[in-house]
Amino acid sequence: MPILVMKFGGTSVADLDRIANAAEKVKREVERGYDVIVIVSAMAGKTNELVKWVNDTSGFYDAREYDAVVSSGENVTAGLMALRLQEMGVPARSWQGWQVPINTTSAHGSARFVSIPRENLDSKFAEGFKVAVVAGFQGVSHEHRITTLGRGGSDTTAVAFAAAFDAERCDIYTDVDGVYTTDPRITSKARKLDKISYEEMLELASLGAKVLQTRSVELAMRYKVRLRVLSSFDETDETSGTLVCDEEEIMESKVVSGVAHSRDEAKITLFTIEDRPGIAAAIFGPLADAGVNVDMIVQNISEKDYDAAHSGAVTDMTFSCPVDQVKLATRAMEEAKAAGKIKYDELIIDTDVSKVSVVGIGMRSHAGVAARMFKALSAENINIKVISTSEIKISVLIDRKYMELAVQTLHDAFALESAV
Ligand code: ADP
Ligand code: ASP
Ligand code: MG
């Protein structure tokens, strides 16, 4: 039997009626002749509640127990989905990560897949089970502890199963009917894309478009999984939603395909650091050791800043990281200073910034995208604090209060509302 992977996110399984609705979609695919692997998320809001319970119990918590707690939301949905399918006459059973087993690294809270052996599920399919309902987001380490994959990780579970079981397709059912030119919650002008390349989706996801977890797109690209995003609330068929696929499959595309945003960023500046070889390593080494995900970096080059008081050239270093890592970053810098590894006069933190990015493979062959972006932002009086670019994206850090306006402005500036 051909295998199909169907993943249902939190809003798609938010209550018993929605689980029943999702089960109907699964049943339809079984009737079409598929053996189906269903990956489920926890009911909407459940994981947040579990995370809060952990934080309210323990400040610097044991990550293994965090995983034990937060993985539990998916167990409930998997069992309920299997029960609902059985009620509908579909032979189904649930699987928790350790039962499959979904082997992962022991990096609790952000574990990565090591292997997903097929034997157990295959033998159940051979016995006549039509559906395996697998709890998303979780796995088991070689120490036999429960692990989780990071927020939004059920997408990645789905793609990993699609790769491991040579699934015909991996369908991600969610609360929007596809991938849009930007988050449809920010502008009603956002337009659904029929197709998007792996590379662009990877950039959009890593720059904040949370419709797919970044790692899921990485895996899909590596294993050539046909990945589709579609609505669990609409009637759907083979042509619904957005297909994430190879660039070659997309006939026409714009220079810019989408705008992404990441709301909760922070900007940290170290003032008057020494301008000497090795200073960047002395700063970013301790940050990496502390597990801070440094994103954008700017170092001021100021030859004239020779400063007698510091007996040498000095400069400033600015970097950005997620807001919730500011404490980690500050502690790492203070410790490095106390240990005499770096010197700085002042450490300034700005926690009211957001990142807005434009993404498009067309940028490889078109000049002037950055100029157009900056001009559009300046016309709205939006000040750019930090800029970073890569081959197919340009990101800017701006004050958070302008985030929505910036997304809308750039969506207009690159005429994303209309198709090619
Ligand atoms: P699920 O619970 O199904 O995993 P998520 O909330 O993780 O769903 O992801 C779906 C949400 O992603 C949408 O409701 C939408 O607000 C948001 N989103 C952000 N950027 C985009 C985009 N470019 N296209 C579609 N949705 C997007
Ligand atoms: N329930 C987990 C979360 O909310 C995983 C997921 O839904 O993908 O992050
Ligand atoms: Mg999600």
Side-chain angles (χ1 to χ4, degrees):
M1 291 288 182
I3 287 185
L4 192 67
V5 172
M6 302 171 77
K7 179 255 172 178
F8 294 93
T11 36
S12 309
V13 292
D15 56 38
L16 297 184
D17 286 341
R18 290 195 179 171
I19 291 177
N21 166 69
E24 287 292 346
K25 289 192 179 291
V26 175
K27 185 179 180 193
R28 216 162 305 151
E29 299 295 357
V30 169
E31 286 165 354
R32 283 191 184 132
Y34 288 106
D35 281 348
V36 182
I37 300 175
V38 176
I39 310 294
V40 285
S41 285
M43 291 170 158
K46 192 70 212 174
T47 310
N48 286 344
E49 182 183 48
L50 295 168
V51 169
K52 185 170 183 304
W53 286 350
V54 171
N55 284 318
D56 289 352
T57 305
S58 171
F60 281 94
Y61 52 73
D62 177 345
R64 292 162 298 191
E65 301 306 343
Y66 168 95
D67 279 353
V69 176
V70 302
S71 63
S72 65
E74 271 70 11
N75 297 343
V76 174
T77 345
L80 289 172
M81 175 69 84
L83 284 173
R84 173 48 58 197
L85 286 162
Q86 290 171 4
E87 289 296 318
M88 289 162 49
V90 181
R93 67 155 278 190
S94 69
W95 297 83
Q96 295 184 7
W98 64 272
Q99 293 172 308
V100 173
I102 301 171
N103 298 310
T104 72
T105 61
S106 49
H108 286 275
S110 57
R112 297 203 159 212
F113 294 111
V114 173
S115 66
I116 303 178
R118 291 182 57 149
E119 295 85 276
N120 288 336
L121 263 63
D122 275 345
S123 74
K124 287 291 168 193
F125 282 133
E127 276 176 32
F129 279 85
K130 299 308 291 175
V131 181
V133 186
V134 179
F137 180 52
Q138 56 174 258
V140 60
S141 72
H142 66 272
E143 287 108 1
H144 299 290
R145 298 299 301 254
I146 305 300
T147 55
T148 63
L149 308 171
R151 298 305 305 269
S154 296
D155 297 330
T156 306
T157 307
V159 173
F161 271 80
F165 285 81
D166 296 315
E168 204 167 284
R169 222 179 37 237
C170 180
D171 285 343
I172 306 285
Y173 286 87
T174 182
D175 58 358
V176 273
D177 60 351
V179 177
Y180 279 68
T181 47
T182 195
D183 189 339
R185 289 182 210 206
I186 294 204
T187 168
S188 57
K189 292 183 185 171
R191 178 174 51 88
K192 185 175 80 84
L193 299 162
D194 290 332
K195 290 180 177 174
I196 185 164
S197 67
Y198 291 119
E199 274 182 80
E200 287 170 314
M201 191 63 240
L202 189 59
E203 287 284 6
L204 287 173
S206 70
L207 295 167
K210 69 168 189 159
V211 61
L212 288 173
Q213 199 198 32
T214 308
R215 182 95 184 104
S216 73
V217 188
E218 252 168 47
L219 279 186
M221 186 155 118
R222 165 132 42 104
Y223 294 102
K224 297 272 176 251
V225 171
R226 286 184 86 74
L227 181 61
R228 193 164 67 134
V229 176
L230 68 173
S231 165
S232 60
F233 304 123
D234 296 349
E235 279 304 315
T236 45
D237 59 28
E238 297 77 40
T239 61
S240 306
T242 301
L243 185 70
V244 187
C245 59
D246 268 327
E247 194 177 322
E248 288 73 39
E249 282 189 55
I250 300 169
M251 302 299 285
E252 286 179 284
S253 64
K254 297 192 158 198
V255 179
V256 166
S257 299
V259 182
H261 68 275
S262 172
R263 178 180 298 273
D264 297 319
E265 300 287 318
K267 178 166 84 70
I268 299 181
T269 303
L270 300 175
F271 281 101
T272 46
I273 56 168
E274 303 158 275
D275 192 7
R276 59 159 172 88
I279 190 66
I283 292 171
F284 295 105
L287 288 169
D289 293 342
V292 177
N293 296 308
V294 172
D295 180 20
M296 303 159 114
I297 300 174
V298 206
Q299 182 182 345
N300 295 344
I301 314 264
S302 49
E303 298 295 338
K304 63 179 187 313
D305 268 351
Y306 181 84
D307 184 335
H310 291 81
S311 60
V314 292
T315 184
D316 306 327
M317 186 80 84
T318 298
F319 61 90
S320 71
C321 69
V323 156
D324 57 10
Q325 294 186 342
V326 163
K327 271 192 197 147
L328 271 182
T330 314
R331 193 168 59 181
M333 292 297 87
E334 283 165 0
E335 282 173 7
K337 187 180 184 184
K341 291 182 184 142
I342 54 172
K343 293 181 199 156
Y344 58 82
D345 281 352
E346 222 181 331
L347 185 151
I348 305 268
I349 302 166
D350 181 354
T351 52
D352 290 321
V353 291
S354 296
K355 183 171 63 172
V356 174
S357 314
V358 297
V359 171
I361 41 183
M363 277 185 219
R364 288 193 199 121
S365 47
H366 283 79
V369 177
R372 203 156 137 198
M373 177 177 188
F374 303 154
K375 200 170 151 202
L377 293 173
S378 85
E380 294 295 335
N381 258 319
I382 300 172
N383 190 31
I384 300 170
K385 302 189 158 201
V386 184
I387 301 168
S388 77
T389 67
S390 78
E391 200 190 14
I392 65 163
K393 73 116 205 268
I394 302 165
S395 299
V396 294
L397 209 61
I398 57 171
D399 278 331
R400 185 164 308 128
K401 62 179 182 228
Y402 298 124
M403 190 194 77
E404 273 91 359
L405 176 63
V407 170
Q408 289 155 359
T409 300
L410 295 173
H411 200 270
D412 287 345
F414 291 98
L416 297 183
E417 191 178 359
S418 54
V420 184

